[in-house]
Amino acid sequence: MKKNMLTGSLTLAAFLLLAVTAWAIKPPETPEQVARGKVIYERSCILCHGADGEGDGPAAFFIASYGAPRPQNFNTDNFKLRSTPSGMLPTDDDLFRIVTRGVPGYMPTFVGLTEMQRWQVIYYVKSFNPKFKTAKPERFEIMIGEPKLPTRGHITVGRRLYVDAGCADCHGESGRGDGPSAPTLEDYRGLHIPVADLTNPTAFKAGNSEEDIYRSIMTGFNGTPMPSYADAFEGMEDDVWHLVHYIKSLWR
């Protein structure tokens, strides 16, 4: 019985791993693929992101009324969830990861689409912004090393970095998103933007694994007050892991 349970667990883990890493096999980006992606977009994405990809679909108003960020405007360069430096467009793999995993609390996962369909809709989304035709964001992707194992000392160092980097100004002393600057924060459109409650594991839009949190710290979120800390931590990657472990220690 235990052997069967273990085999089942491994099978499920393997399936989930394949579901998230399948972007390694990517079809050619052709006009035919873009056209098929348009059909998928109009069926699955237009309600939130709008007919022209401006984040103004019929559901966008209701999403914002609950204090959530507006859906992504694909016509701008302000893509929040990326593995690239601040101000840059996301890589294709970034887009595939978001479509596959969704955004916790805001955007559902689309694993119900086949891998091919996910790539097709991504190619259509990229057609909203002509800069994708010439940009090569993959060349600048921020590399994530091996996570460091947390210790009590590391978490203490992470707490100091949290304060020194000014994280508490927005996220609050205890990480609940209630810092003194939180009520005044706006996105690039001048709309109020809520601050993530770092004590809630489901509040991490870019994912809550150690690697995800590391990536968010180093890239920042374009179009929002959340900056990139890549320059501040240049050559200090171990310190970033200390900060990651401290943030995870806040979880309720």
Side-chain angles (χ1 to χ4, degrees):
M1 176 65 74
K2 290 184 178 179
K3 182 177 180 181
N4 290 339
M5 290 176 64
L6 178 61
T7 302
S9 298
L10 291 174
T11 302
L12 177 60
F15 171 79
L16 292 174
L17 179 63
L18 287 172
V20 178
T21 60
W23 58 83
I25 304 173
K26 183 168 63 173
E29 188 172 347
T30 64
E32 292 75 19
Q33 300 284 28
V34 174
R36 293 189 180 101
K38 182 176 187 292
V39 175
I40 299 167
Y41 180 91
E42 291 178 344
R43 184 182 67 211
S44 304
C45 313
I46 198 171
L47 189 64
C48 293
H49 293 285
D52 298 317
E54 295 181 349
D56 59 352
F61 170 80
F62 297 100
I63 293 172
S65 69
Y66 283 95
R70 294 287 181 92
Q72 177 68 50
N73 181 346
F74 300 126
N75 295 268
T76 74
D77 300 340
N78 293 307
F79 283 77
K80 294 186 284 293
L81 312 183
R82 319 166 325 281
S83 61
T84 53
S86 180
M88 292 191 64
L89 293 171
T91 67
D92 287 359
D93 287 354
D94 290 333
L95 296 174
F96 191 94
R97 182 176 62 251
I98 296 165
V99 171
T100 300
R101 292 178 11 175
V103 180
Y106 303 102
M107 173 180 157
T109 171
F110 282 93
V111 290
L113 297 175
T114 67
E115 295 163 22
M116 178 65 76
Q117 288 172 326
R118 277 175 265 165
W119 279 117
Q120 289 167 344
V121 76
I122 286 167
Y123 293 156
Y124 178 66
V125 163
K126 289 172 62 180
S127 72
F128 288 120
N129 189 331
K131 290 185 179 180
F132 274 111
K133 293 181 180 179
T134 55
K136 301 293 182 184
E138 287 80 4
R139 296 179 181 175
F140 304 96
E141 189 172 6
I142 291 176
M143 295 293 104
I144 301 175
E146 288 293 323
K148 305 295 182 182
L149 293 176
T151 67
R152 185 178 298 276
H154 289 171
I155 293 174
T156 300
V157 172
R159 166 66 185 173
R160 175 178 57 77
L161 294 169
Y162 180 87
V163 174
D164 291 347
C167 304
D169 292 344
C170 298
H171 292 285
E173 287 294 326
S174 59
R176 295 180 181 274
D178 56 357
S181 298
T184 66
L185 299 181
E186 298 179 341
D187 67 10
Y188 71 97
R189 292 162 291 195
L191 301 172
H192 174 68
I193 187 166
V195 180
D197 178 355
L198 302 180
T199 70
N200 179 4
T202 66
F204 291 71
K205 301 180 186 67
N208 61 18
S209 72
E210 292 176 346
E211 292 85 353
D212 292 331
I213 299 171
Y214 183 104
R215 183 174 56 247
S216 295
I217 292 170
M218 297 298 274
T219 63
F221 290 172
N222 287 343
T224 80
M226 172 64 187
S228 162
Y229 285 90
D231 290 340
F233 287 110
E234 185 176 5
M236 303 164 59
E237 287 74 16
D238 283 355
D239 283 346
V240 182
W241 291 117
H242 300 335
L243 180 54
V244 168
H245 293 315
Y246 172 69
I247 290 171
K248 292 193 70 172
S249 76
L250 299 174
W251 290 1
R252 294 194 296 266

Coordinates of all heavy atoms in Angstrom, one line a residue, residues 14-83:
A14 N 5.5 14.3 -11.0 CA 6.0 14.4 -12.3 C 5.1 15.1 -13.3 O 5.5 15.9 -14.1 CB 6.3 13.0 -12.8
F15 N 3.8 14.9 -13.1 CA 2.8 15.5 -14.0 C 2.8 17.0 -13.8 O 2.8 17.8 -14.7 CB 1.4 15.0 -13.7 CG 0.3 15.8 -14.3 CD1 0.0 15.6 -15.7 CD2 -0.4 16.7 -13.6 CE1 -1.0 16.3 -16.3 CE2 -1.4 17.5 -14.3 CZ -1.7 17.2 -15.6
L16 N 2.8 17.5 -12.5 CA 2.9 18.9 -12.2 C 4.1 19.5 -12.7 O 4.1 20.7 -13.2 CB 2.7 19.1 -10.7 CG 1.4 18.7 -10.1 CD1 1.4 18.9 -8.6 CD2 0.2 19.6 -10.7
L17 N 5.3 18.8 -12.6 CA 6.5 19.4 -13.1 C 6.5 19.5 -14.6 O 6.9 20.6 -15.1 CB 7.7 18.4 -12.7 CG 9.1 18.8 -13.2 CD1 9.4 20.2 -12.5 CD2 10.1 17.8 -12.8
L18 N 5.9 18.6 -15.3 CA 5.8 18.7 -16.7 C 4.9 19.8 -17.1 O 5.1 20.5 -18.1 CB 5.3 17.3 -17.3 CG 6.3 16.2 -17.3 CD1 5.6 14.9 -17.8 CD2 7.4 16.5 -18.3
A19 N 3.8 20.0 -16.3 CA 2.8 21.0 -16.7 C 3.4 22.4 -16.6 O 3.1 23.3 -17.4 CB 1.6 21.0 -15.7
V20 N 4.4 22.6 -15.7 CA 5.0 23.9 -15.5 C 6.2 24.1 -16.3 O 6.6 25.3 -16.7 CB 5.3 24.2 -14.0 CG1 5.9 25.5 -13.8 CG2 4.0 24.1 -13.2
T21 N 6.9 23.0 -16.7 CA 8.2 23.2 -17.4 C 8.1 22.9 -18.9 O 9.1 22.8 -19.6 CB 9.3 22.3 -16.8 OG1 8.8 20.9 -16.8 CG2 9.5 22.7 -15.3
A22 N 6.8 22.7 -19.4 CA 6.7 22.2 -20.7 C 7.1 23.3 -21.8 O 7.1 23.0 -22.9 CB 5.2 21.8 -21.0
W23 N 7.3 24.5 -21.3 CA 7.6 25.6 -22.3 C 9.0 25.4 -22.9 O 9.4 26.1 -23.8 CB 7.6 26.9 -21.6 CG 8.5 27.1 -20.4 CD1 9.8 27.4 -20.4 CD2 8.1 27.0 -19.0 NE1 10.3 27.5 -19.2 CE2 9.3 27.3 -18.3 CE3 6.9 26.7 -18.4 CZ2 9.3 27.3 -16.9 CZ3 7.0 26.7 -17.0 CH2 8.1 27.0 -16.3
A24 N 9.8 24.4 -22.4 CA 11.0 24.1 -23.1 C 10.8 23.7 -24.5 O 11.7 23.9 -25.3 CB 11.8 23.0 -22.3
I25 N 9.7 23.1 -24.8 CA 9.4 22.7 -26.2 C 8.4 23.7 -26.8 O 7.2 23.7 -26.4 CB 8.7 21.3 -26.2 CG1 9.7 20.3 -25.6 CG2 8.4 20.9 -27.7 CD1 9.1 18.9 -25.4
K26 N 8.9 24.6 -27.6 CA 8.1 25.8 -28.1 C 7.9 25.7 -29.6 O 8.9 25.5 -30.3 CB 8.8 27.1 -27.7 CG 8.1 28.3 -28.0 CD 8.7 29.5 -27.3 CE 10.1 29.8 -27.8 NZ 10.6 31.1 -27.2
P27 N 6.7 25.8 -30.0 CA 6.4 25.8 -31.5 C 6.9 27.1 -32.1 O 7.1 28.1 -31.5 CB 4.9 25.6 -31.6 CG 4.4 26.3 -30.3 CD 5.4 26.0 -29.3
P28 N 7.1 27.1 -33.5 CA 7.5 28.3 -34.2 C 6.4 29.4 -34.0 O 5.2 29.1 -34.0 CB 7.6 27.9 -35.6 CG 7.7 26.4 -35.6 CD 7.0 25.9 -34.4
E29 N 6.8 30.6 -33.9 CA 5.8 31.8 -33.9 C 5.5 32.2 -35.3 O 6.3 33.0 -35.9 CB 6.5 32.9 -33.0 CG 5.5 34.0 -32.8 CD 6.1 35.0 -31.8 OE1 7.1 34.7 -31.2 OE2 5.5 36.1 -31.7
T30 N 4.4 31.8 -35.8 CA 4.0 32.0 -37.2 C 2.7 32.8 -37.2 O 1.9 32.8 -36.2 CB 3.9 30.7 -38.0 OG1 2.8 30.0 -37.4 CG2 5.2 29.9 -37.9
P31 N 2.3 33.4 -38.4 CA 1.0 34.1 -38.5 C -0.1 33.1 -38.2 O -1.2 33.5 -37.6 CB 1.0 34.6 -39.9 CG 2.4 34.8 -40.2 CD 3.2 33.7 -39.5
E32 N 0.0 31.8 -38.6 CA -1.0 30.9 -38.4 C -1.2 30.6 -36.9 O -2.4 30.5 -36.4 CB -0.7 29.6 -39.1 CG -0.7 29.6 -40.6 CD 0.5 30.3 -41.2 OE1 1.5 30.5 -40.5 OE2 0.4 30.8 -42.3
Q33 N -0.1 30.5 -36.1 CA -0.2 30.3 -34.7 C -0.8 31.5 -34.0 O -1.6 31.4 -33.1 CB 1.2 30.1 -34.1 CG 1.9 28.9 -34.7 CD 1.4 27.5 -34.1 OE1 0.2 27.4 -33.8 NE2 2.2 26.5 -34.1
V34 N -0.5 32.7 -34.5 CA -1.1 33.9 -33.9 C -2.6 34.0 -34.1 O -3.4 34.3 -33.3 CB -0.4 35.2 -34.5 CG1 -1.1 36.5 -34.0 CG2 1.1 35.3 -34.1
A35 N -3.0 33.6 -35.3 CA -4.4 33.6 -35.7 C -5.2 32.6 -34.8 O -6.3 32.9 -34.3 CB -4.6 33.2 -37.1
R36 N -4.6 31.4 -34.5 CA -5.3 30.5 -33.6 C -5.3 31.0 -32.2 O -6.3 30.8 -31.5 CB -4.5 29.1 -33.7 CG -4.6 28.4 -35.1 CD -4.0 27.0 -35.0 NE -4.1 26.4 -36.3 CZ -3.1 26.2 -37.1 NH1 -1.9 26.7 -36.8 NH2 -3.3 25.6 -38.3
G37 N -4.2 31.7 -31.8 CA -4.2 32.3 -30.5 C -5.3 33.4 -30.3 O -5.8 33.5 -29.2
K38 N -5.6 34.1 -31.4 CA -6.7 35.1 -31.3 C -8.0 34.5 -30.9 O -8.8 35.0 -30.1 CB -6.8 35.8 -32.6 CG -7.8 37.0 -32.7 CD -7.8 37.7 -34.0 CE -8.7 38.9 -34.0 NZ -10.1 38.6 -33.9
V39 N -8.3 33.3 -31.5 CA -9.5 32.6 -31.2 C -9.6 32.2 -29.7 O -10.6 32.4 -29.1 CB -9.7 31.4 -32.1 CG1 -10.9 30.6 -31.7 CG2 -9.7 31.8 -33.6
I40 N -8.4 31.7 -29.2 CA -8.4 31.3 -27.8 C -8.5 32.5 -26.9 O -9.2 32.5 -25.9 CB -7.1 30.6 -27.6 CG1 -7.0 29.3 -28.4 CG2 -6.9 30.2 -26.1 CD1 -5.6 28.7 -28.5
Y41 N -7.8 33.6 -27.3 CA -7.9 34.8 -26.5 C -9.3 35.3 -26.4 O -9.8 35.7 -25.3 CB -7.0 35.9 -27.1 CG -7.0 37.2 -26.4 CD1 -6.1 37.5 -25.4 CD2 -7.9 38.2 -26.7 CE1 -6.0 38.7 -24.8 CE2 -7.9 39.4 -26.0 CZ -7.0 39.7 -25.1 OH -7.0 40.9 -24.4
E42 N -10.0 35.4 -27.5 CA -11.4 35.9 -27.5 C -12.4 35.0 -26.7 O -13.4 35.4 -26.2 CB -11.9 36.0 -28.9 CG -11.2 37.2 -29.6 CD -11.6 37.3 -31.1 OE1 -12.2 36.4 -31.6 OE2 -11.2 38.4 -31.7
R43 N -12.0 33.7 -26.5 CA -12.8 32.8 -25.7 C -12.4 32.8 -24.3 O -13.3 32.7 -23.4 CB -12.6 31.4 -26.3 CG -13.5 30.3 -25.6 CD -13.2 29.0 -26.2 NE -11.8 28.5 -25.9 CZ -11.1 27.8 -26.7 NH1 -11.5 27.4 -27.9 NH2 -9.9 27.4 -26.3
S44 N -11.2 33.0 -23.9 CA -10.7 32.8 -22.6 C -10.1 34.0 -21.9 O -10.1 34.0 -20.6 CB -9.6 31.7 -22.6 OG -10.1 30.5 -23.2
C45 N -9.8 35.1 -22.6 CA -9.0 36.2 -22.0 C -9.7 37.5 -22.1 O -9.4 38.5 -21.3 CB -7.6 36.3 -22.6 SG -6.7 34.7 -22.7
I46 N -10.5 37.7 -23.1 CA -11.1 39.0 -23.5 C -11.9 39.6 -22.4 O -12.0 40.8 -22.2 CB -11.9 38.9 -24.8 CG1 -12.1 40.3 -25.4 CG2 -13.2 38.2 -24.6 CD1 -12.6 40.2 -26.8
L47 N -12.5 38.8 -21.5 CA -13.4 39.3 -20.5 C -12.7 40.2 -19.5 O -13.2 41.2 -19.1 CB -14.1 38.1 -19.7 CG -15.2 38.5 -18.8 CD1 -16.4 39.1 -19.5 CD2 -15.6 37.2 -18.0
C48 N -11.4 39.9 -19.2 CA -10.6 40.7 -18.3 C -9.7 41.7 -19.1 O -9.6 42.8 -18.7 CB -9.8 39.8 -17.4 SG -10.8 38.8 -16.2
H49 N -9.0 41.1 -20.1 CA -8.0 41.9 -20.7 C -8.5 42.8 -21.8 O -7.7 43.7 -22.3 CB -6.9 41.0 -21.2 CG -6.1 40.4 -20.1 ND1 -5.2 41.0 -19.3 CD2 -6.2 39.1 -19.6 CE1 -4.7 40.2 -18.4 NE2 -5.2 39.0 -18.6
G50 N -9.7 42.6 -22.3 CA -10.3 43.5 -23.3 C -10.0 43.1 -24.7 O -9.0 42.4 -25.0
A51 N -10.8 43.6 -25.6 CA -10.7 43.3 -27.1 C -9.3 43.7 -27.6 O -8.8 43.0 -28.5 CB -11.8 43.9 -27.8
D52 N -8.8 44.8 -27.2 CA -7.5 45.3 -27.7 C -6.4 45.1 -26.7 O -5.3 45.7 -26.9 CB -7.6 46.8 -28.0 CG -8.7 47.1 -29.1 OD1 -8.7 46.3 -30.1 OD2 -9.5 48.0 -28.9
G53 N -6.6 44.2 -25.7 CA -5.5 43.9 -24.8 C -5.1 45.0 -23.8 O -4.0 45.0 -23.3
E54 N -6.0 46.0 -23.6 CA -5.7 47.1 -22.8 C -6.0 46.9 -21.3 O -6.0 47.9 -20.5 CB -6.3 48.4 -23.3 CG -5.8 48.7 -24.7 CD -6.4 50.0 -25.3 OE1 -7.5 50.5 -24.7 OE2 -5.9 50.5 -26.3
G55 N -6.5 45.7 -20.9 CA -6.8 45.5 -19.5 C -8.1 46.1 -19.1 O -8.4 46.4 -18.0
D56 N -9.0 46.4 -20.1 CA -10.3 47.1 -19.9 C -11.5 46.2 -20.3 O -12.5 46.7 -20.7 CB -10.3 48.4 -20.6 CG -10.1 48.2 -22.1 OD1 -9.8 47.0 -22.6 OD2 -10.3 49.2 -22.9
G57 N -11.4 44.9 -20.1 CA -12.5 44.1 -20.4 C -13.7 44.3 -19.5 O -13.5 45.0 -18.5
P58 N -14.8 43.7 -19.8 CA -16.0 43.9 -19.0 C -15.8 43.6 -17.5 O -16.5 44.2 -16.6 CB -17.1 43.0 -19.6 CG -16.6 42.8 -21.0 CD -15.1 42.9 -21.0
A59 N -15.0 42.6 -17.2 CA -14.8 42.2 -15.8 C -13.8 43.1 -15.1 O -13.6 43.0 -13.8 CB -14.3 40.7 -15.8
A60 N -13.0 43.9 -15.8 CA -11.9 44.7 -15.2 C -12.5 45.6 -14.1 O -11.8 45.8 -13.0 CB -11.2 45.5 -16.2
F61 N -13.6 46.3 -14.3 CA -14.2 47.2 -13.3 C -14.5 46.4 -12.0 O -14.2 46.9 -10.9 CB -15.4 47.8 -13.9 CG -16.2 48.6 -12.8 CD1 -15.8 49.9 -12.5 CD2 -17.3 48.1 -12.2 CE1 -16.5 50.6 -11.5 CE2 -18.0 48.8 -11.2 CZ -17.6 50.0 -10.9
F62 N -15.1 45.3 -12.2 CA -15.4 44.5 -11.0 C -14.2 44.0 -10.2 O -14.2 44.0 -9.0 CB -16.3 43.3 -11.4 CG -17.6 43.8 -12.0 CD1 -17.8 43.8 -13.3 CD2 -18.7 44.2 -11.2 CE1 -19.0 44.2 -13.9 CE2 -19.9 44.6 -11.7 CZ -20.0 44.6 -13.1
I63 N -13.2 43.7 -10.9 CA -11.9 43.2 -10.3 C -11.4 44.4 -9.5 O -11.0 44.2 -8.3 CB -10.9 42.7 -11.4 CG1 -11.4 41.5 -12.0 CG2 -9.5 42.5 -10.7 CD1 -10.6 41.0 -13.2
A64 N -11.3 45.6 -10.1 CA -10.8 46.7 -9.4 C -11.6 47.2 -8.2 O -11.1 47.7 -7.2 CB -10.6 47.9 -10.4
S65 N -12.9 46.9 -8.3 CA -13.8 47.3 -7.2 C -13.5 46.6 -5.9 O -13.9 47.0 -4.9 CB -15.3 47.2 -7.6 OG -15.6 45.8 -7.8
Y66 N -12.9 45.4 -6.1 CA -12.5 44.6 -4.9 C -11.1 44.9 -4.4 O -10.6 44.2 -3.6 CB -12.6 43.1 -5.2 CG -14.1 42.6 -5.3 CD1 -14.8 42.5 -6.5 CD2 -14.7 42.2 -4.1 CE1 -16.1 42.1 -6.5 CE2 -16.0 41.8 -4.1 CZ -16.7 41.7 -5.3 OH -18.0 41.3 -5.4
G67 N -10.6 46.0 -4.9 CA -9.3 46.4 -4.5 C -8.1 45.7 -5.1 O -6.9 45.8 -4.7
A68 N -8.4 44.9 -6.1 CA -7.4 44.1 -6.8 C -6.8 45.0 -8.0 O -7.4 45.9 -8.5 CB -7.9 42.9 -7.4
P69 N -5.5 44.7 -8.4 CA -5.0 45.4 -9.5 C -5.8 45.2 -10.8 O -6.4 44.1 -11.0 CB -3.6 44.8 -9.6 CG -3.3 44.2 -8.3 CD -4.6 43.7 -7.8
R70 N -5.8 46.2 -11.7 CA -6.4 46.0 -13.0 C -5.7 44.9 -13.8 O -4.5 44.7 -13.6 CB -6.4 47.3 -13.8 CG -7.2 48.4 -13.2 CD -8.7 48.2 -13.3 NE -9.5 49.2 -12.8 CZ -9.9 50.3 -13.5 NH1 -9.6 50.4 -14.8 NH2 -10.7 51.2 -12.9
P71 N -6.4 44.2 -14.7 CA -5.7 43.2 -15.5 C -4.6 43.9 -16.4 O -4.7 45.1 -16.7 CB -6.9 42.7 -16.4 CG -8.1 43.0 -15.6 CD -7.9 44.2 -14.9
Q72 N -3.7 43.1 -16.7 CA -2.5 43.5 -17.5 C -2.9 44.2 -18.8 O -3.8 43.7 -19.5 CB -1.6 42.3 -17.8 CG -0.4 42.7 -18.6 CD 0.6 43.6 -17.9 OE1 1.0 43.3 -16.8 NE2 1.0 44.7 -18.5
N73 N -2.3 45.3 -19.1 CA -2.5 46.0 -20.4 C -1.3 45.5 -21.2 O -0.1 45.9 -21.0 CB -2.4 47.5 -20.2 CG -2.6 48.3 -21.5 OD1 -2.5 47.7 -22.6 ND2 -2.9 49.6 -21.4
F74 N -1.6 44.8 -22.3 CA -0.5 44.2 -23.1 C 0.1 45.2 -24.0 O 1.1 44.9 -24.7 CB -1.0 43.0 -23.9 CG -1.6 41.9 -23.0 CD1 -2.9 41.4 -23.2 CD2 -0.8 41.3 -22.0 CE1 -3.4 40.4 -22.3 CE2 -1.3 40.3 -21.2 CZ -2.6 39.9 -21.3
N75 N -0.5 46.4 -24.2 CA 0.1 47.3 -25.1 C 1.2 48.2 -24.5 O 1.9 48.9 -25.3 CB -1.1 48.3 -25.5 CG -2.2 47.6 -26.3 OD1 -2.1 47.5 -27.5 ND2 -3.1 47.0 -25.6
T76 N 1.4 48.1 -23.2 CA 2.5 48.8 -22.6 C 3.7 48.0 -22.3 O 3.7 46.8 -22.6 CB 2.0 49.4 -21.3 OG1 1.9 48.4 -20.3 CG2 0.6 50.1 -21.4
D77 N 4.7 48.6 -21.8 CA 5.9 47.9 -21.4 C 5.9 47.5 -19.9 O 6.8 46.9 -19.4 CB 7.2 48.7 -21.6 CG 7.3 49.1 -23.1 OD1 6.7 48.4 -24.0 OD2 8.1 50.1 -23.4
N78 N 4.8 47.8 -19.3 CA 4.7 47.6 -17.8 C 4.2 46.2 -17.4 O 3.1 46.0 -16.8 CB 3.7 48.7 -17.2 CG 4.3 50.1 -17.3 OD1 5.4 50.3 -16.9 ND2 3.6 51.0 -17.9
F79 N 4.9 45.2 -17.8 CA 4.6 43.8 -17.4 C 5.3 43.6 -16.1 O 6.5 43.7 -15.9 CB 5.2 42.9 -18.5 CG 4.4 42.7 -19.7 CD1 4.5 43.7 -20.7 CD2 3.6 41.7 -19.9 CE1 3.7 43.6 -21.9 CE2 2.8 41.5 -21.1 CZ 2.9 42.5 -22.1
K80 N 4.4 43.3 -15.1 CA 4.9 43.2 -13.7 C 5.7 41.9 -13.5 O 6.7 41.9 -12.8 CB 3.7 43.3 -12.8 CG 3.0 44.6 -12.7 CD 2.0 44.7 -11.7 CE 0.7 44.0 -12.1 NZ 0.0 44.6 -13.2
L81 N 5.2 40.8 -14.0 CA 5.7 39.5 -13.6 C 6.7 39.0 -14.7 O 6.3 38.6 -15.8 CB 4.6 38.5 -13.5 CG 3.4 38.9 -12.6 CD1 2.4 37.8 -12.4 CD2 3.9 39.4 -11.2
R82 N 8.0 39.1 -14.4 CA 9.0 38.9 -15.4 C 10.3 38.3 -14.7 O 10.4 38.3 -13.5 CB 9.5 40.2 -16.0 CG 8.5 41.1 -16.4 CD 9.1 42.5 -16.7 NE 10.2 42.9 -16.0 CZ 10.2 43.3 -14.7 NH1 9.1 43.5 -14.1 NH2 11.3 43.6 -14.1
S83 N 11.2 37.8 -15.5 CA 12.5 37.4 -15.0 C 13.6 38.3 -15.6 O 14.8 38.0 -15.5 CB 12.8 35.9 -15.4 OG 12.8 35.8 -16.8

